[in-house]
């Protein structure tokens, strides 16, 4: 009986020891945290800027003479060709003035020829011939002016473009300078966007002189425009109120999809040399500032503030506050606090980044 009791006691002791050891292993596994380091490599980031889309030429067409709008040869929203007649203002008055000027010019020419024959025969003084010549020149000038005024009654397209809506209707009395419509050349589009000073400096220092950087256009429907554009112009001055400077990109528009006045977002690819890349899940936020837990050689964690220069899905690019050889907590950051000593398992940063949704090239 005593042997049976001793045997049962031994089994219970072994079972307790085994359970205790198993629980200690589980506890040890539960308190082992995963850490990694920033991945340092050359990469690129995408930055979006709100933009305004403008036609390469967008002008107002205004009446050059006063009169009734007699004819409209085009329609709203239609393409017109350079030199095509678009509007005609009642030309009868100017046609009559032209005929009058022609008659006066003919009379002055006849008078000049008669005076010249007399001058050649020394019948009249040279001064009379000069006076007749001056009258002829004046008549010719008035004839040219009448032709110009008559021409002003026809409003012609100065370039190929698309008509906007009419500001006047057929039969309207228009005065000199009244707006008739606008005309847009949409063969190419100028897209303006504002860049902060710091990003402008990055752009100027990282882009070779006289090289053109390509950009893409995200349209208002969140679709990428089929044709890339190039940044051709940067304005001379910064806006002191916003701290921004305006860039202008030129986009081809062969299908006429883009129109004057549209909006969208310019997407620019920025190269980064030796960027420090960390997973977003390794960070936490306190009072709108970003922090990570850095693990020292003594296994003690310390809270460290970092500055983010760029953000992509699942990834942050660190501007400062972190070194490439430092170890940061990847998981369990909500389970520790400043000064805690932890056990950890280290995972290579390349392996960590490659398992995220977005792989940085």
């Amino acid at each position: 009986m005593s042997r049976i009791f001793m045997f049962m006691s031994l089994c219970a002791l072994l079972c307790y020891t085994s359970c205790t050891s198993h629980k200690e292993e589980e506890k040890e596994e539960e308190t082992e945290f995963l850490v990694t380091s920033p991945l340092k490599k050359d990469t690129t980031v995408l930055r979006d800027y709100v933009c305004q889309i403008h036609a390469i030429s967008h002008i107002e067409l205004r009446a050059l003479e006063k009169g009734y709008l007699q004819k409209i040869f085009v329609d709203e929203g239609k393409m017109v060709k350079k030199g095509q007649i678009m509007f005609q203002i009642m030309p009868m008055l100017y046609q009559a003035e032209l005929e009058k000027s022609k008659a006066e010019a003919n009379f002055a020419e006849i008078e000049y020829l008669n005076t010249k024959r007399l001058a050649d025969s020394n019948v009249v003084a040279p001064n009379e011939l000069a006076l007749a010549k001056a009258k002829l020149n004046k008549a010719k000038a008035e004839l040219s002016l009448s032709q110009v005024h008559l021409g002003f009654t026809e409003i012609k397209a100065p370039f190929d473009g698309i008509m906007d809506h009419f500001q006047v209707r057929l039969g309207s009395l228009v005065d000199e300078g009244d707006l008739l419509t606008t005309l847009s050349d949409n063969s190419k589009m100028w897209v303006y966007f504002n860049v902060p000073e710091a990003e402008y400096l990055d752009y100027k220092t990282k882009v070779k002189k006289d090289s053109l950087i390509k950009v893409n256009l995200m349209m208002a429907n969140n679709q990428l425009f089929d044709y890339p554009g190039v940044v051709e112009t940067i304005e001379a001055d910064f806006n002191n109120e916003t701290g921004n400077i305006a860039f202008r990109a030129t986009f081809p528009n062969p299908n006429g999809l883009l129109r004057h006045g549209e909006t969208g977002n310019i997407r620019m690819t920025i190269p980064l040399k030796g960027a420090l890349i960390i997973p977003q899940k390794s960070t936490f936020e306190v009072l709108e500032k970003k922090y990570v837990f850095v693990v020292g050689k003594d296994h003690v964690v310390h809270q460290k503030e970092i500055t983010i220069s760029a953000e992509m899905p699942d990834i942050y690019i660190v501007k400062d506050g972190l070194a490439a050889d430092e170890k940061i907590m990847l998981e369990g950051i909500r389970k520790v606090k400043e000064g805690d000593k932890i056990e950890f398992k280290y995972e290579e940063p390349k392996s960590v980044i490659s398992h995220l949704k977005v792989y940085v090239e």
Side-chain angles (χ1 to χ4, degrees):
M1 185 70 178
S2 60
R3 288 182 178 179
I4 295 174
F5 178 77
M6 289 177 65
F7 178 76
M8 292 178 65
S9 299
L10 181 61
C11 288
L13 179 62
L14 290 173
C15 181
Y16 174 79
T17 304
S18 176
C19 290
T20 303
S21 176
H22 183 64
K23 287 180 179 178
E24 288 177 353
E25 289 177 2
E26 285 184 348
K27 185 176 181 182
E28 185 177 351
E29 288 178 1
E30 288 175 358
T31 57
E32 188 177 57
F33 296 94
L34 189 63
V35 302
T36 187
S37 298
L39 176 63
K40 185 175 183 179
K41 64 179 301 182
D42 296 343
T43 186
T44 59
V45 295
L46 296 177
R47 290 201 175 108
D48 288 349
Y49 304 92
V50 177
C51 65
Q52 292 284 337
I53 301 171
H54 295 258
I56 194 170
S57 292
H58 179 78
I59 63 168
E60 296 178 338
L61 294 177
R62 295 181 177 272
L64 297 174
E65 295 291 350
K66 181 178 180 179
Y68 288 98
L69 188 60
Q70 189 175 42
K71 291 183 180 179
I72 298 178
F73 298 93
V74 292
D75 198 4
E76 297 175 331
K78 300 296 183 181
M79 282 290 301
V80 296
K81 295 293 184 181
K82 181 179 180 180
Q84 180 179 344
I85 299 176
M86 303 170 69
F87 303 94
Q88 187 172 57
I89 297 171
M90 188 174 61
M92 290 182 291
L93 175 62
Y94 301 101
Q95 183 67 46
E97 288 182 352
L98 177 63
E99 296 300 327
K100 178 184 176 183
S101 297
K102 283 181 179 179
E104 290 177 349
N106 289 335
F107 177 79
E109 186 174 10
I110 293 171
E111 188 177 25
Y112 167 73
L113 292 175
N114 290 334
T115 305
K116 188 176 186 305
R117 281 194 295 269
L118 294 173
D120 292 341
S121 302
N122 295 322
V123 175
V124 297
N127 287 344
E128 281 195 48
L129 179 62
L131 183 61
K133 179 64 174 176
K135 287 180 179 180
L136 176 59
N137 290 339
K138 179 182 178 183
K140 287 182 177 180
E142 289 177 349
L143 175 60
S144 297
L145 184 60
S146 297
Q147 289 173 334
V148 170
H149 280 294
L150 181 61
F152 283 168
T153 63
E154 291 182 345
I155 310 299
K156 297 180 180 180
F159 51 78
D160 295 353
I162 300 177
M163 289 279 299
D164 198 3
H165 65 276
F166 298 143
Q167 301 292 333
V168 292
R169 292 293 181 264
L170 191 66
S172 301
L173 177 62
V174 295
D175 204 351
E176 181 181 346
D178 283 354
L179 178 63
L180 303 177
T181 187
T182 56
L183 183 66
S184 298
D185 178 2
N186 291 346
S187 59
K188 292 182 180 180
M189 306 302 289
W190 282 345
V191 181
Y192 293 87
F193 58 101
N194 293 321
V195 176
E197 184 176 355
E199 294 177 18
Y200 159 80
L201 293 172
D202 289 342
Y203 168 83
K204 293 297 290 184
T205 54
K206 293 172 183 175
V207 176
K208 294 181 180 179
K209 186 179 180 181
D210 298 328
S211 65
L212 298 177
I213 187 168
K214 290 186 176 181
V215 294
N216 292 299
L217 174 62
M218 185 67 70
M219 297 180 291
N221 61 352
N222 290 323
Q223 297 294 316
L224 201 63
F225 186 57
D226 290 337
Y227 303 92
V230 292
V231 175
E232 293 183 333
T233 301
I234 303 175
E235 287 192 0
D237 301 324
F238 277 88
N239 185 322
N240 291 331
E241 294 180 359
T242 63
N244 295 334
I245 192 168
F247 280 46
R248 190 191 77 196
T250 303
F251 283 82
N253 190 31
N255 300 324
L257 178 61
L258 300 180
R259 297 291 181 100
H260 181 84
E262 284 187 75
T263 60
N265 286 281
I266 285 291
R267 178 161 291 178
M268 183 184 290
T269 302
I270 306 296
L272 295 178
K273 297 290 185 181
L276 290 182
I277 305 166
I278 63 171
Q280 287 191 17
K281 66 180 182 180
S282 66
T283 67
F284 60 97
E285 193 170 307
V286 178
L287 298 177
E288 299 183 353
K289 294 182 179 181
K290 289 283 191 300
Y291 293 87
V292 293
F293 275 126
V294 176
V295 183
K297 294 181 180 180
D298 55 359
H299 289 219
V300 176
V301 297
H302 299 283
Q303 180 176 303
K304 198 169 189 181
E305 182 183 350
I306 59 173
T307 304
I308 305 300
S309 65
E311 178 180 348
M312 292 181 287
D314 294 329
I315 289 171
Y316 283 137
I317 308 296
V318 179
K319 183 177 182 180
D320 54 51
L322 196 61
D325 58 350
E326 290 184 292
K327 293 181 175 63
I328 59 173
M329 289 190 62
L330 182 62
E331 295 177 353
I333 59 176
R334 302 297 179 188
K335 299 179 181 179
V336 298
K337 62 182 182 297
E338 175 73 20
D340 281 356
K341 189 172 184 178
I342 63 169
E343 295 298 325
F344 62 84
K345 177 183 177 183
Y346 182 80
E347 185 172 351
E348 290 293 332
K350 286 185 178 180
S351 175
V352 173
I353 298 299
S354 65
H355 286 86
L356 298 176
K357 292 179 183 178
V358 176
Y359 179 72
V360 180
E361 296 293 340

